[in-house]
Amino acid sequence: MIQTSSTFDMPGAIRRIVPNVFDTMLSLAAKSTVIGAVPRGERVSGTIGIASDTLSGSVYLHFAEPLARRAAAAMLGLDSPEAADISAVNDVVSELSNMIGGGFKSALCDAGYPCAMSTPAIVRGQGFAIELPPGLSSETFVFDCHGESLAVEVHLKLN
């Protein structure tokens, strides 16, 4: 578990930001689950970095491939998830990573941890794991969206 000051409720922030972005941008419900893991099989992951003099880390969004396609179709107004090509899916996952990462950055700033955020990057594949750099802690939050899984993995170190 990532240790932050009592003024920053990271689980509360993530569990508020993700459903808000999904509802506002996709008109899809994302419900926090008690149990779950990073999606297995083919997935599309978006990441942003956050840093300042007082903290460093990353936020990863791990979409099951079907959910990434559903999100792309919803955001782009496509008739079906199958209509979303790889480029469109990558663009939408990148934008959602930017929005959710930006919401997380804002929550950190509001709690007294001013920081900057990188541009998003995309990783695609099966069975890959994100290795934690020394000194960083990790926490994963899982959401269900129409029976598909989204995991939000936060790596953070307070300097």
Side-chain angles (χ1 to χ4, degrees), residues 140-155:
T140 302
F141 305 89
V142 180
F143 297 84
D144 176 79
C145 185
H146 295 273
E148 294 293 342
S149 178
L150 166 69
V152 178
E153 187 177 354
V154 179
H155 298 179

Side-chain angles (χ1 to χ4, degrees), residues 4 6 13 16 19 21 23-24 26-27 29-30 34 39 47 67 79 86 92 107 110 113 121 127-128 136 139 146 153:
T4 58
S6 60
R16 181 181 62 255
V21 168
D23 181 49
T24 303
L26 308 173
S27 296
V34 176
T47 182
L67 178 56
D79 292 334
I86 288 175
V92 167
D110 290 347
Y113 296 100
F128 63 89
L136 267 69
E139 197 159 346
H146 295 273
E153 187 177 354

Side-chain angles (χ1 to χ4, degrees), residues 55-97:
L55 64 86
S56 60
S58 300
V59 177
Y60 296 88
L61 275 64
H62 302 288
F63 288 79
E65 174 73 19
L67 178 56
R69 286 189 175 278
R70 180 187 293 261
M75 186 176 277
L76 300 174
L78 303 175
D79 292 334
S80 72
E82 293 75 29
D85 64 16
I86 288 175
S87 178
V89 171
N90 287 351
D91 286 348
V92 167
V93 169
S94 181
E95 187 56 33
L96 291 170
S97 299

Side-chain angles (χ1 to χ4, degrees), residues 40-51:
R40 296 189 186 276
E42 189 67 27
R43 73 177 190 246
V44 183
S45 297
T47 182
I48 59 98
I50 51 174

